Amino acid sequence: MSRLKRAIVFLGLAVAAVAGPASLASAQDRLALVVGQGAYQGRPLPTTVNDAGLIAQTLTSAGFEVIQGRDLGAHDLRSLVRDFLDKAQDLEPGSAVMVYLAGHGIQLEGENYLLPVDARIERDVDVPIEGFRLSDLVRSLERSPAQVRVVVADMARDYPLGSTGEPVAKGLALMEPPAGFLMAFSSAPNITAPDGQGPYGAYATALAEMIRQPGMPLDEVFARARLRTHEATNGLQIPWHSANLGQASFAFFEQAEAAAAPLVREVRRIEEVPAEEAYAIAVERDTIQDYQAFLRRYPDHRLARRVTALLAARREAIVWRRTLASNTREAYWTYLRRYPNGPHAADSQRRLARLSAPYAPPAAFEEVVYEDLPPPLPEVERVEVVEVVTIIRDVPPPRTPAYLLPRWEEDEEFVTIVREPPPPPVMAGVLPIPMAIPVPVRARPPRSFYQPIAPITPRGPMAIPVAAPPVFGALMGDERGPRPRRGLRPEQPVVPRQPGLAAPIRPIPVSVDPRGPREDRGARPGEPPRARPVRIPPRPIPLVDLPQERPRPGRSDIGEPALRPEPPRGLRPAERGPDPRTIRPQAPVRDAARPRDPRLDRDEILLRQPRPERPRIEIERERPGRSDFDRPEPRIRPERGAPVAGRPPVVLPQPEERRPRRDDDGPRFRLERERPAAVERPDRERPSPRMAPRIDRPETPVFQPRPVPRMDLPREERVFREPPRPSVQPRPGRDMERMPQMRPAPGPSGGRQGGGNAERCRPGRPCAEEVR
């Protein structure tokens, strides 16, 4: 029984070990940046924009969210890269990022620059001012949480400068990839690539073809793309790549479980195969050691001269990279002694001028020796670097063996697409949209497809609703079997002359104001940094017959800030319900697009409740410049002077500043608050000259808020106020609470108070009516 349990446990561990990498790869977030630059003034490129559109469609079918741009100027190019880096910072750990740049590129002093379409470069000093430095993008991607980062520079093209400045090396300078990076060039370092004649370039076509091979490792994808490009251009273009991925594994398309296991190629040694096959193996591996192994085995073969030229170019590129890393006078003098006519001789002189050192090497100095570089073969490596391009053109290569490359006719759908030119672009800033490239037959479909996004267009960020990639064959967990093949080209496209679009392109809202501050300045000291929302939200492609994925916490597909709350422990993913911390009020809230504080989201963000109505204070302050017409109506007390059912109208006196009461005041009388007609407001009906009847009120409570001194009435009321008449004023104090009362007999002034022989009540004494 114990043996059976051990066998079951061992079998479970084996299945988990096999399925673990596949499930991890399928759960990765994938983000790509694709830029095509072709509309250069005076130096246009015919295929770069089409190449970028082909790579964008291929990555979309592989589950990448593509941020794209076409024919961008300097400002727009930097803005596009900024938006892409913002999204790269919000990826999940272990994600994959790919960058594809097509256009004109220039190298200067070991740095590679992509040129905007509006660049004006006449001399070497204009390159760092007008160009976009590739190393800046690489350094920014190093801080992203992605595990695999691929940077492809398809910009090794000839860009002649004026004759006024110093010469500049051709092609691109060799770069050493940091940890977790794969760097790839469309041509070998310091060698330019010819312009293609077809609708697409040879390198972009080969790269798109190899990306579609299911289960192929990342390093092998670019190695086979180099062989395919070498074969398609008859040896004139040999791409380069260098990987530093460590233990990370990545495949663009995972192989389906129902498909047969891929054929494992037999690893053959160069010394054991014929010369033509040995040459193809050396080109596929593309290392100094393999080129030297070919020269040791076949030193007199006609391909030996071609291999010697490739070896000389690669050694010079590595020596220049080591020289830049040393950055000493002796290092630059060593380079000038070995390569006096090398492509980087002018760069060495520029660096020596900065170090205040003479250009010419002295007669005696200690040369720098790079121990990690294999020494040259004696009497074999005798080719000058300036002869490399001439030798490559004069010595054509043989045909690549069939076992090293897949058959071109195997992928019929892809071959059909790349043979025809793409339709014209629909808008400025948007790449051409070829037909929807289907998922390979033996590949497992990606988790979901996303619409490409063009942030830089005349109408703002645009979502490109491309047609969903066709999927052929059985899906994961689908027992219905393979599906019938359908035609790729729709009979009647939704958008005229755009068969790759499923709907017209439309603008999308952004989550953050691009002109606002990007750093979180509202965080309190000691609090963790807040989650920053992305500016360009992802747009999933709606599929009809594919199961859709549930939205995961941490990735927002609707343009809201993507927060990553921690799920409750002890529950399975299927049992986890909606997180209450992601609830937001229904009503619009101020600063709703700003990132929220996780602590506040957890405890203090609640739904709005209706506030209970509270009675206002009886006496309200008057603001200067505010008239009675704008005064809000009281909620509890009726309007002053308005008749109430069952009660006569009540008039309150004008509040004045009250002084402290005296202790010798008499007993407290019930107050009769009346307002004289002289101070009555003009907007209401004046009371009659007859005396208002007395109103019995409940006793005043012990606590009563003191009346606030009323400010001067506005100018509108002063116009209607009558001039004051001289009269006997009561003394300040408690006597102010008791206003004088008029006798019913009208005076000679027409019934006005204070006129004629009207008898008044003396202050401090009750009137005759009260005494009775």
Side-chain angles (χ1 to χ4, degrees):
M1 189 66 180
S2 60
R3 294 182 179 179
L4 180 60
K5 291 182 178 180
R6 292 179 181 176
I8 294 176
V9 172
F10 178 78
L11 181 61
L13 293 177
V15 172
V18 173
S23 62
L24 179 62
S26 63
Q28 289 176 337
D29 284 343
R30 299 183 173 190
L31 181 65
L33 172 66
V34 180
V35 179
Q37 303 280 83
Y40 291 96
Q41 299 179 1
R43 301 178 179 89
L45 298 176
T47 63
T48 52
V49 174
N50 296 347
D51 295 342
L54 178 64
I55 296 298
Q57 283 287 76
T58 305
L59 295 179
T60 299
S61 64
F64 278 80
E65 181 187 351
V66 180
I67 307 297
Q68 61 170 254
R70 176 177 69 89
D71 296 335
L72 304 177
H75 179 269
D76 293 339
L77 179 60
R78 287 170 171 80
S79 178
L80 177 70
V81 173
R82 181 70 266 171
D83 293 337
F84 166 73
L85 293 176
D86 288 345
K87 292 184 69 67
Q89 294 297 328
D90 297 331
L91 293 176
E92 296 288 341
S95 303
V97 174
M98 182 170 178
V99 177
Y100 178 84
L101 306 176
H104 269 306
I106 296 181
Q107 65 162 310
L108 180 67
E109 299 184 16
E111 296 287 351
N112 297 315
Y113 298 87
L114 174 64
L115 300 185
V117 293
D118 58 354
R120 299 177 56 186
I121 299 179
E122 300 295 337
R123 300 173 298 275
D124 56 330
V125 294
D126 299 334
V127 174
I129 300 176
E130 299 285 340
F132 176 77
R133 187 162 54 183
L134 188 59
S135 59
D136 295 340
L137 176 61
V138 173
R139 280 192 292 267
S140 299
L141 284 178
E142 284 188 79
R143 302 181 180 181
S144 67
Q147 185 181 14
V148 177
R149 311 169 186 89
V150 182
V151 179
V152 182
D154 189 2
M155 51 188 192
R157 294 173 175 84
D158 188 17
Y159 190 89
L161 299 180
S163 58
T164 57
E166 297 292 335
V168 176
K170 302 294 183 180
L172 300 178
L174 185 141
M175 298 180 64
E176 295 181 353
F181 276 81
L182 185 146
M183 306 290 299
F185 295 163
S186 59
S187 183
N190 307 327
I191 300 177
T192 58
D195 295 333
Q197 301 298 329
Y200 299 99
Y203 179 68
T205 305
L207 183 58
E209 176 193 358
M210 297 307 163
I211 285 176
R212 294 173 43 78
Q213 299 301 318
M216 185 176 293
L218 191 60
D219 195 8
E220 190 173 351
V221 167
F222 286 88
R224 293 198 180 188
R226 176 168 47 253
L227 273 180
R228 181 69 79 189
T229 306
H230 177 271
E231 181 185 42
T233 59
N234 198 20
L236 296 180
Q237 183 177 353
I238 304 178
W240 167 89
H241 86 278
S242 179
N244 186 12
L245 300 176
Q247 301 298 327
S249 60
F250 176 79
F252 288 96
F253 286 96
E254 295 292 338
Q255 193 166 10
E257 289 81 355
L263 297 177
V264 180
R265 294 187 304 168
E266 181 182 357
V267 179
R268 301 187 181 186
R269 299 181 58 188
I270 294 179
E271 295 82 359
E272 300 175 356
V273 296
E276 289 77 7
E277 187 176 348
Y279 171 80
I281 295 176
V283 171
E284 181 188 22
R285 299 176 183 175
D286 197 31
T287 61
I288 291 180
Q289 292 80 0
D290 293 297
Y291 288 138
Q292 287 184 342
F294 180 89
L295 293 177
R296 291 191 189 98
R297 178 66 178 83
Y298 304 101
D300 299 329
H301 196 272
R302 68 177 185 88
L303 294 175
R305 183 171 177 79
R306 182 182 181 89
V307 173
T308 304
L310 297 177
L311 179 59
R314 183 58 48 81
R315 184 181 293 276
E316 188 273 339
I318 296 178
V319 169
W320 172 242
R321 174 54 56 183
R322 300 291 189 274
T323 302
L324 289 175
S326 300
N327 197 26
T328 59
R329 300 181 302 173
E330 291 75 13
Y332 295 118
W333 287 337
T334 301
Y335 177 86
L336 290 175
R337 176 166 292 184
R338 293 184 182 181
Y339 306 100
N341 300 322
H344 299 97
D347 293 333
S348 298
Q349 295 177 1
R350 296 187 188 96
R351 290 300 185 99
L352 287 172
R354 296 179 184 176
L355 297 175
S356 301
Y359 296 160
F365 71 94
E366 185 178 357
E367 295 188 5
V368 179
V369 178
Y370 305 105
E371 298 180 355
D372 57 342
L373 189 63
L377 297 178
E379 299 181 0
V380 177
E381 299 185 30
R382 295 174 297 180
V383 176
E384 291 288 339
V385 182
V386 294
E387 303 175 359
V388 171
V389 178
T390 304
I391 295 174
I392 289 177
R393 292 177 179 176
D394 295 343
V395 182
R399 186 175 180 82
T400 305
Y403 78 92
L404 291 177
L405 287 176
R407 296 181 57 185
W408 175 260
E409 295 80 7
E410 287 184 357
D411 199 345
E412 299 178 2
E413 295 84 2
F414 177 75
V415 174
T416 303
I417 293 174
V418 298
R419 284 181 177 176
E420 298 181 4
V426 295
M427 182 182 296
V430 179
L431 293 173
I433 306 172
M435 291 292 301
I437 300 179
V439 176
V441 177
R442 300 184 307 274
R444 180 170 54 184
R447 180 185 54 187
S448 57
F449 302 101
Y450 291 93
Q451 297 179 0
I453 297 177
I456 309 299
T457 64
R459 296 172 56 188
M462 305 294 294
I464 307 172
V466 298
V471 180
F472 305 128
L475 300 177
M476 297 176 54
D478 191 357
E479 300 178 357
R480 292 177 295 179
R483 301 181 183 181
R485 291 179 177 269
R486 297 172 295 178
L488 294 179
R489 188 180 299 277
E491 297 180 359
Q492 293 182 357
V494 179
V495 181
R497 297 183 300 174
Q498 294 292 334
L501 284 178
I505 61 176
R506 59 185 184 275
I508 58 177
V510 296
S511 301
V512 179
D513 184 8
R515 294 172 294 182
R518 296 188 179 274
E519 64 275 4
D520 189 4
R521 299 182 179 178
R524 302 175 182 176
E527 292 183 351
R530 304 178 183 178
R532 179 177 54 187
V534 296
R535 176 175 178 249
I536 307 299
R539 293 282 170 170
I541 296 179
L543 303 180
V544 179
D545 49 4
L546 288 181
Q548 291 295 313
E549 178 200 6
R550 288 185 175 183
R552 297 177 298 141
R555 186 180 181 91
S556 174
D557 292 341
I558 58 177
E560 294 182 356
L563 300 179
R564 304 189 183 101
E566 297 182 1
R569 299 182 180 179
L571 296 179
R572 298 180 181 178
E575 300 175 356
R576 299 173 183 175
D579 198 327
R581 288 173 289 185
T582 60
I583 299 177
R584 291 293 184 270
Q586 298 293 339
V589 185
R590 293 184 59 187
D591 302 334
R594 295 187 180 179
R596 310 295 299 185
D597 191 351
R599 179 177 60 83
L600 297 180
D601 291 345
R602 180 177 63 255
D603 299 329
E604 300 181 13
I605 299 299
L606 302 176
L607 296 176
R608 285 187 174 181
Q609 301 292 340
R611 295 182 178 180
E613 296 185 356
R614 300 179 180 179
R616 288 191 175 182
I617 301 177
E618 297 181 358
I619 300 176
E620 182 183 8
R621 294 186 180 182
E622 287 189 1
R623 300 178 183 177
R626 181 176 179 181
S627 63
D628 292 339
F629 297 98
D630 300 333
R631 187 183 306 277
E633 297 296 334
R635 298 183 179 179
I636 294 182
R637 292 179 57 87
E639 185 179 0
R640 298 179 181 178
V644 182
R647 297 177 58 183
V650 180
V651 180
L652 297 178
Q654 181 179 358
E656 297 181 4
E657 184 179 0
R658 299 179 61 184
R659 297 185 180 181
R661 299 179 179 179
R662 294 177 297 180
D663 297 338
D664 55 348
D665 288 342
R668 193 171 185 180
F669 295 95
R670 296 182 181 180
L671 300 180
E672 296 179 0
R673 301 188 177 181
E674 299 178 359
R675 191 166 186 174
V679 295
E680 189 65 31
R681 297 181 181 177
D683 57 338
R684 296 190 179 98
E685 184 181 358
R686 293 187 178 183
S688 61
R690 301 172 59 183
M691 181 178 57
R694 185 179 56 190
I695 300 175
D696 296 337
R697 288 178 173 269
E699 294 184 359
T700 307
V702 178
F703 172 79
Q704 182 178 5
R706 291 187 177 182
V708 182
R710 184 181 299 273
M711 303 181 67
D712 295 338
L713 296 176
R715 295 183 178 180
E716 291 79 0
E717 297 186 1
R718 293 180 181 177
V719 176
F720 298 97
R721 179 179 293 180
E722 297 182 3
R725 290 178 174 272
S727 60
V728 180
Q729 298 294 336
R731 293 177 301 174
R734 291 197 54 173
D735 297 341
M736 296 297 298
E737 300 178 0
R738 187 176 185 86
M739 298 301 298
Q741 300 180 359
M742 296 291 298
R743 291 291 181 179
S749 59
R752 297 181 181 178
Q753 294 182 3
N757 299 326
E759 184 177 357
R760 295 178 179 271
C761 296
R762 297 183 179 181
R765 296 183 181 179
C767 295
E769 296 179 1
E770 295 185 1
V771 173
R772 296 174 187 175

